[in-house]
Amino acid sequence: MKLDADSLSDALVRLRRAQGQLGGVIQMIEDERDCKDVIAQLAAVSRALDRAGFKIIATGLEKCLQEGADSEQAELDRAQLEKLFMSLA
């Protein structure tokens, strides 16, 4: 299943934010910042990635519902999305 960039704009914003946060984590390590500060920022990056992943899956599910629940391809897409969802959980 392909999803267009417009429908994933929220996920892209989250991913760009996570990219910036990850750069911050790298800089913190290079600057020898305190371990607890590095871990707190790394946890924020992880949450941002999780939220982006869930947004992508939710968008895919919406697309499946719009395309019709009875089609064989929609059933396959839903099964794939379920596996992806479980990989994030």
Side-chain angles (χ1 to χ4, degrees):
M1 164 190 314
K2 290 188 179 188
L3 299 172
D4 60 285
D6 288 339
S7 65
L8 294 175
S9 62
D10 290 342
L12 286 171
V13 168
R14 291 178 189 275
L15 289 170
R16 287 189 182 103
R17 186 176 303 134
Q19 184 179 30
Q21 289 173 317
L22 185 56
V25 169
I26 292 168
Q27 188 64 50
M28 291 172 78
I29 291 170
E30 291 173 346
D31 294 344
E32 299 179 4
R33 297 273 304 269
D34 188 72
C35 179
K36 67 178 179 159
D37 295 334
V38 173
I39 296 301
Q41 189 64 26
L42 193 56
V45 172
S46 180
R47 284 189 304 274
L49 290 173
D50 286 345
R51 288 183 179 132
F54 287 128
K55 180 64 178 170
I56 291 168
I57 291 169
T59 302
L61 288 172
E62 287 174 9
K63 184 176 179 182
C64 280
L65 290 173
Q66 290 171 354
E67 289 178 354
D70 296 333
S71 78
E72 187 175 320
Q73 185 60 43
E75 289 296 322
L76 292 173
D77 289 343
R78 260 190 254 131
Q80 289 174 333
L81 288 168
E82 183 179 343
K83 286 180 184 178
L84 291 171
F85 179 81
M86 294 307 292
S87 72
L88 289 175

